Amino acid sequence: MPKAATKFYQLNYPRPQFARSQWLDLNGEWDFCFDDKKAGDAERWMEHFPDGLQINVPFTYETRASGIGDETFHPQIWYRRKLILSPEAEGKHTILHFEGVDYKAVCWVNGRFAGEHEGAYARFSFDITGLLIQNGENEIVLKAEDSDSCLQPRGKQRWAGRNHDSFYVQTTGIWKSVWLEHVHETRLDRVKMTPDIDRQMIRFDFRFYGTSSKQELRLETEITCKGKRVNKLSLSVDQTWLTAEAGMMSGINGPWLQNLWSPDHPNLFDVEFVLYDGEQEIDRVESYFGMRKISIRDGQILLNNIPLYQRLVLDQGYWPESHLTPPSEEALVEDIEAIAEMGYNGVRKHMKIEDDRFLYWCDVKGMLVWSEMAAAFEFSDEAVERFTKEWMEVVQQQYNHPCIITWVPFNESWGIQNILHDGRQQKFTEGVYNLTKSIDPYRPVITNDGWEHTISDILTLHDYVERGEDLYETYKERNTITGSSGTYNEWKFAFAQGYRYQGQPIMISEFGGIAFRSGRGWGYGKPVDSEEAFLERFGSLTGAIKAIPFISGYCYTQLTDVQHEVNGLLTEDRKPKAALEKVRKINLE
């Protein structure tokens, strides 16, 4: 594992930007049962768990890494884990955290209801203090319900019982880390950190839990850089929400610009929050942040007020033995390092809300990230409600990561298939755009990446033509795609009806998808037979985009093969198909 660049880093800690010292990793062996007859509730499995299988959490039963490896869809499954509390838990509140359960989770502790959550991609937590036995064995039971409904956000998960097109084996149940932590009843619940490089300030929006008028609460916030204090704040806590700003110039060595976060210089500041009641410390949270600004001006995307040319690669985040779940934190780091080695400065995380540790390492290594929501595939009131609720959770949970520079709630009209002319679907994307901006007015938001845009901060286009000459011919004139006809690629509109180009930056956010001839799977266009043929076509396409002066960057499809889709730069098990330095040369020349 590479050396981390933040003071408070803990290996395998599931939530690196809000870390405490007293926590317990609950990954590993759990008892497990399929419930195809949906008998568990009636038979009270939360109290009398049946004999069954064991599963290696957080890997889903569909994966080899789980120890089960059954790819058949089972709509209802159950988990059980026994534990004995450590002495440190006494007198504290115990919070049970699930980083991701697909799709609906219902939890019991010692046979009593603890809580439920719907949505596969956002984290959730339950305070289970009142359900626990301090001196004895405790039992956590979780029921996970999934479906093949296209009204729930499912991303690239298949729903027809078999892989097809670009859809892969489904993910059911726990697929991210499970853990618990022991905290004081009164504690820091959330911190929203907003950098302002123009004013050389950082703003903190604090939310507290369990505060009382009888307490004398004080929050100490200390910011350091390479061990040297930058600023320290002391706030009296007399309400649930507080906002404070801190100047960032004290203790900074060298010019201010050298301390900003960017791909070339991913500088991070450590920050520690300590909550006191009188003179007694009752909570300590460790974190970090980056000072950076993403903005748009005159048709260009700017990072720290400087034009940014984005060289992105599409990353679906699948592994052969563990599917959507990373096999280890080291695997995440290796992917990021391979991306950088190939000359890319960013990644479009496609149809997946990735493990928070991935974002940590992108923060550390300076890898730009487009965060993209998993799509539903049908439109209805139910789909709108499910999607919007979960997307809002995701935006709030990922807000503090400096690596994230773009939000992508929709892709290629998935779930909004009639957006070209359907006013309801158009208003849906407008609503999600504006809700996202209400939480985060600072990052660009792309509505309907690649296809018919409504209101969108960036105009993004997808084109899988085989030759660079053809790609260049299509896009060399801006008016071809931004004029009154608004068509490109001979069949697709850049904007939905009633919307028009308003000077946004333009990017080719999907292209390539070149597959080596392998006798299995598929890619875009004709497969190539050799590394030389691949590099020639890859260079032709990439070079054509870079030759068009008004295009602000690109995203190549894709980083790795995924199951039956074999158009990655790397194989599923991360073997390069072409020398990485040769790919790098084409990207950077």
Side-chain angles (χ1 to χ4, degrees):
M1 176 66 66
K3 183 179 179 181
T6 57
K7 179 179 179 181
F8 303 114
Y9 167 74
Q10 301 178 55
L11 178 65
N12 291 323
Y13 193 87
R15 191 187 56 194
Q17 265 195 318
F18 201 83
R20 293 187 175 99
S21 59
Q22 290 189 6
W23 69 287
L24 178 65
D25 186 352
L26 295 183
N27 292 336
E29 187 175 281
W30 289 54
D31 298 317
F32 179 82
C33 267
F34 295 113
D35 187 11
D36 294 339
K37 295 181 179 180
K38 299 183 179 179
D41 286 292
E43 296 177 3
R44 306 295 295 172
W45 288 9
M46 70 288 293
E47 298 172 356
H48 310 288
F49 201 85
D51 293 334
L53 304 169
Q54 278 72 48
I55 190 169
N56 184 20
V57 167
F59 306 107
T60 69
Y61 73 78
E62 292 96 342
T63 69
R64 297 196 302 269
S66 72
I68 296 176
D70 177 2
E71 294 185 356
T72 307
F73 175 60
H74 298 274
Q76 196 156 289
I77 56 178
W78 291 69
Y79 299 80
R80 179 180 65 177
R81 168 70 184 257
K82 296 181 179 181
L83 66 97
I84 296 175
L85 295 177
S86 65
E88 290 80 8
E90 191 166 0
K92 297 287 187 72
H93 278 236
T94 298
I95 313 299
L96 176 61
H97 297 283
F98 294 89
E99 294 295 299
V101 178
D102 195 340
Y103 173 71
K104 181 180 179 181
V106 185
C107 182
W108 296 265
V109 174
N110 296 325
R112 292 187 287 169
F113 178 73
E116 62 183 20
H117 178 268
E118 182 178 293
Y121 297 94
R123 72 165 62 97
F124 58 95
S125 305
F126 305 127
D127 186 333
I128 61 173
T129 309
L131 309 177
L132 293 169
I133 302 167
Q134 180 62 46
N135 299 309
E137 188 175 64
N138 293 276
E139 186 175 86
I140 298 170
V141 173
L142 183 88
K143 177 181 69 171
E145 300 176 19
D146 203 0
S147 77
D148 55 7
S149 171
C150 289
L151 298 176
Q152 72 185 45
R154 58 188 314 112
K156 288 299 195 79
Q157 299 180 53
R158 69 190 186 188
W159 61 87
R162 59 178 178 79
N163 286 16
H164 58 96
D165 301 321
S166 56
F167 298 95
Y168 323 122
V169 176
Q170 73 284 342
T171 295
T172 308
I174 298 171
W175 70 283
K176 289 184 179 181
S177 290
V178 185
W179 57 292
L180 56 78
E181 62 180 345
H182 307 303
V183 297
H184 195 277
E185 180 181 7
T186 302
R187 58 189 179 270
L188 184 60
D189 189 53
R190 182 185 301 175
V191 182
K192 185 177 184 180
M193 297 183 280
T194 304
D196 185 340
I197 71 166
D198 298 324
R199 296 173 57 233
Q200 301 167 355
M201 304 284 286
I202 179 79
R203 188 181 79 232
F204 299 107
D205 293 299
F206 300 106
R207 189 175 82 178
F208 301 91
Y209 181 87
T211 58
S212 166
S213 59
K214 297 179 181 180
Q215 297 169 306
E216 297 179 5
L217 298 177
R218 183 180 81 259
L219 181 69
E220 302 280 349
T221 299
E222 184 175 41
I223 303 167
T224 58
C225 179
K226 299 179 176 64
K228 187 173 183 180
R229 180 185 290 178
V230 175
N231 208 332
K232 186 171 184 178
L233 305 177
S234 182
L235 298 172
S236 294
V237 180
D238 55 4
Q239 55 189 356
T240 304
W241 287 93
L242 282 180
T243 296
E245 290 187 325
M248 292 298 298
M249 291 303 292
S250 175
I252 295 293
N253 295 318
W256 170 242
L257 289 176
Q258 292 183 7
N259 292 278
L260 301 182
W261 186 95
S262 70
D264 293 330
H265 303 285
N267 298 300
L268 297 171
F269 293 85
D270 298 300
V271 59
E272 190 170 31
F273 310 102
V274 185
L275 184 63
Y276 293 91
D277 183 1
E279 296 304 313
Q280 179 186 1
E281 178 185 317
I282 59 175
D283 194 18
R284 182 180 294 262
V285 174
E286 299 161 340
S287 188
Y288 67 89
F289 61 87
M291 295 295 295
R292 68 99 183 88
K293 174 185 177 182
I294 187 75
S295 58
I296 290 174
R297 186 175 68 231
D298 299 329
Q300 291 193 85
I301 301 166
L302 308 179
L303 178 63
N304 300 332
N305 300 319
I306 299 171
L308 170 68
Y309 193 86
Q310 296 183 61
R311 304 181 304 275
L312 311 179
V313 65
L314 190 82
D315 177 15
Q316 302 197 62
Y318 275 78
W319 285 265
E321 71 276 24
S322 58
H323 298 187
L324 278 177
T325 306
S328 64
E329 189 168 339
E330 289 84 354
L332 293 170
V333 176
E334 288 167 4
D335 274 5
I336 294 167
E337 291 179 341
I339 291 167
E341 193 173 346
M342 288 186 282
Y344 294 102
N345 61 6
V347 57
R348 176 180 162 209
K349 182 57 71 168
H350 185 48
M351 285 287 133
K352 179 189 182 185
I353 303 303
E354 188 54 274
D355 192 296
D356 214 49
R357 295 170 300 171
F358 176 84
L359 298 176
Y360 170 81
W361 285 105
C362 287
D363 291 337
V364 167
K365 293 181 172 294
M367 186 64 62
L368 306 171
V369 175
W370 286 18
S371 183
E372 179 178 316
M373 181 57 179
F377 292 93
E378 293 179 6
F379 182 80
S380 71
D381 292 351
E382 180 182 338
V384 168
E385 182 179 358
R386 288 185 174 193
F387 181 95
T388 304
K389 177 181 179 295
E390 190 168 2
W391 175 243
M392 291 299 96
E393 290 178 330
V394 167
V395 173
Q396 292 181 70
Q397 290 172 9
Q398 294 191 337
Y399 178 91
N400 288 336
H401 287 283
C403 66
I404 295 179
I405 62 164
T406 304
W407 299 115
V408 188
F410 301 102
N411 169 74
E412 287 190 349
S413 302
W414 292 1
I416 45 172
Q417 59 270 33
N418 296 319
I419 192 173
L420 176 64
H421 52 77
D422 188 321
R424 287 181 65 210
Q425 295 183 18
Q426 292 172 358
K427 293 301 182 185
F428 176 38
T429 64
E430 285 192 40
V432 170
Y433 173 93
N434 286 312
L435 281 171
T436 305
K437 287 290 190 180
S438 73
I439 296 172
D440 182 3
Y442 308 103
R443 292 178 174 95
V445 178
I446 299 171
T447 54
N448 206 19
D449 188 82
W451 288 10
E452 307 97 337
H453 297 66
T454 54
I455 54 173
S456 185
D457 294 321
I458 304 172
L459 173 57
T460 54
L461 308 167
H462 297 176
D463 198 322
Y464 285 103
V465 67
E466 288 189 33
R467 296 301 308 167
E469 310 89 81
D470 297 329
L471 195 66
Y472 181 82
E473 194 64 29
T474 298
Y475 300 99
K476 65 180 181 180
E477 300 292 337
R478 190 195 307 254
N479 193 59
T480 303
I481 52 176
T482 63
S484 57
S485 65
T487 59
Y488 72 99
N489 201 18
E490 298 184 352
W491 65 283
K492 186 56 63 178
F493 290 89
F495 289 92
Q497 291 176 2
Y499 301 84
R500 60 184 178 82
Y501 182 65
Q502 296 183 323
Q504 297 100 321
I506 300 172
M507 291 185 62
I508 307 298
S509 58
E510 283 190 30
F511 77 105
I514 306 167
F516 276 76
R517 192 176 302 280
S518 64
R520 70 177 188 89
W522 65 278
Y524 292 93
K526 297 177 183 176
V528 296
D529 294 307
S530 65
E531 179 187 50
E532 292 72 25
F534 169 82
L535 290 169
E536 190 281 328
R537 187 159 136 196
F538 176 81
S540 167
L541 293 167
T542 305
I545 296 172
K546 292 197 291 185
I548 302 171
F550 63 83
I551 290 182
S552 298
Y554 56 82
C555 179
Y556 181 80
T557 303
Q558 62 180 323
L559 177 62
T560 71
D561 293 347
V562 182
Q563 296 180 19
H564 61 285
E565 193 171 342
V566 292
N567 50 18
L569 293 162
L570 312 175
T571 64
E572 271 194 291
D573 57 358
R574 278 46 180 180
K575 300 287 193 306
K577 296 182 181 179
L580 301 189
E581 63 271 17
K582 295 179 180 179
V583 175
R584 179 184 182 87
K585 182 179 179 182
I586 291 170
N587 276 318
L588 297 182
E589 67 185 5

